[in-house]
Amino acid sequence: MKVALFGAGRIGKVHAASIKMDPRSELVAVTDVMQEAAEALAQDHGIEARSADDILADTSIDAILIASSTNTHSDLIEAGAKAGKAIFCEKPIDLSLERALQVSATVANHDKPMMMGFNRRFDPNFSALKAALDAGEIGNSELLSVTSYDPAPPPVSYIKVSGGLYRDMMIHDFDMCSFLFGMPTTVTAHGSCLVDPEIGAAGDIDTAVVVLSYADGRIATIRNSRRAPYGYDQRVEVLGSDGALAADNELENTVVKSTSAGVISAKPVYFFLERYMRAFSIEWSAFVDAVVDGKAVPATIQDGVNALALAEAANRSLAEGRPVEVAPFLSEA
């Protein structure tokens, strides 16, 4: 399977490595609005730096991986579908839910796999928790808690174009809740700015809790912070009628020192590159499975729409200070 990469930034480099790790896929070209970045990545991997139009017109390229800036995603998905390519796209589809719904409708009849990049679904810890939950190992699920704290906030210049914490950061956690519990009926959001006043001045928050309520009475909570000085804090817990499941942090090492002074272990790994590198590789192989072997896509464009709809509902809830129904956001096109 010949693959072209759109985007030669940090996440593009991660995906380039994943493509090269699967023997069934071959990275043959890269494009980026920053020509220097494209040429540097091309040189690293012994491939061509080409224009987007050239890549889309090349019938020998089977698939495109979209890891460019968010504002390009929706147009590239549509262009890739029109060109008959299999498509893998990093989250989100778009910062606009209305535009994402339009894209979803446009590619509804696309006859090649179209997969969204929600890499946390493929983390071995979280996928094992999902398997145990689905197998009924803790009975009926009742409460879900998702914790996601970044070690430090991104630059304010990034915050200003990110779409806000709910669309940019918590969207992964919205997807995790959907992955484990399905879609909720209402969203209640709380948020404030405690980490960096410049984030607040840019119109965003850096500290947030969201409660998702389900039609059957189950409840999920998401906790986000842009600052956890001890490292990248990524945990999931589920309470069920017959027990509980928990996926804890991955640590820098597994050494535990126990003395009369106390018990000390290593910190969590520092950021997503360390924490989720295996997940990115497994995720890509799942996409190759869909393209080469015809298996079902495990993270669909509807999953991308769902996560964005939850983010939009959270923004509305925060602005209006009340619980917000989810269903209207899924029919706003």
Side-chain angles (χ1 to χ4, degrees), residues 51-209:
S51 73
D53 289 342
D54 283 348
I55 287 171
L56 292 168
D58 188 340
T59 57
S60 72
I61 293 176
D62 304 297
I64 60 171
L65 193 159
I66 303 169
S68 47
S69 59
T70 296
N71 64 331
T72 67
H73 289 186
S74 55
D75 289 346
L76 287 173
I77 291 171
E78 290 179 334
K82 185 176 180 180
K85 311 296 187 188
I87 304 162
F88 179 102
C89 183
E90 265 298 333
K91 65 82 187 170
I93 302 168
D94 198 275
L95 292 181
S96 163
L97 177 59
E98 181 179 7
R99 179 73 176 112
L101 286 162
Q102 291 171 351
V103 173
S104 179
T106 298
V107 303
N109 296 319
H110 184 45
D111 62 357
K112 301 290 178 63
M114 163 66 212
M115 179 166 158
M116 293 302 302
F118 286 114
N119 64 289
R120 295 182 191 182
R121 291 181 176 223
F122 303 91
D123 172 77
N125 303 298
F126 297 155
S127 62
L129 186 149
K130 165 73 168 172
L133 186 64
D134 288 350
E137 294 181 14
I138 60 167
N140 297 320
S141 59
E142 297 168 350
L143 286 171
L144 168 62
S145 176
V146 178
T147 299
S148 181
Y149 303 155
D150 282 355
V156 174
S157 58
Y158 173 82
I159 294 288
K160 290 178 179 178
V161 298
S162 69
L165 182 143
Y166 295 129
R167 293 190 193 96
D168 171 56
M169 180 179 177
M170 196 179 285
I171 195 166
H172 281 292
D173 307 308
F174 287 133
D175 181 67
M176 182 56 59
C177 290
S178 299
F179 179 54
L180 296 174
F181 266 31
M183 283 293 281
T185 55
T186 63
V187 174
T188 307
H190 305 271
S192 57
C193 188
L194 302 176
V195 176
D196 183 351
E198 291 299 315
I199 292 176
D204 199 11
I205 57 174
D206 54 33
T207 307
V209 173

Side-chain angles (χ1 to χ4, degrees), residues 97-98 101-102 312 316 326-333:
L97 177 59
E98 181 179 7
L101 286 162
Q102 291 171 351
E312 288 298 297
R316 178 80 58 83
V326 174
F329 289 90
L330 291 171
S331 57
E332 284 192 352

Side-chain angles (χ1 to χ4, degrees), residues 269-287:
V269 294
Y270 189 71
F271 206 30
F272 81 94
L273 292 177
E274 300 96 322
R275 175 66 174 83
Y276 288 120
M277 192 57 70
R278 285 187 299 166
F280 281 113
S281 178
I282 296 168
E283 175 185 53
W284 177 253
S285 290
F287 177 68

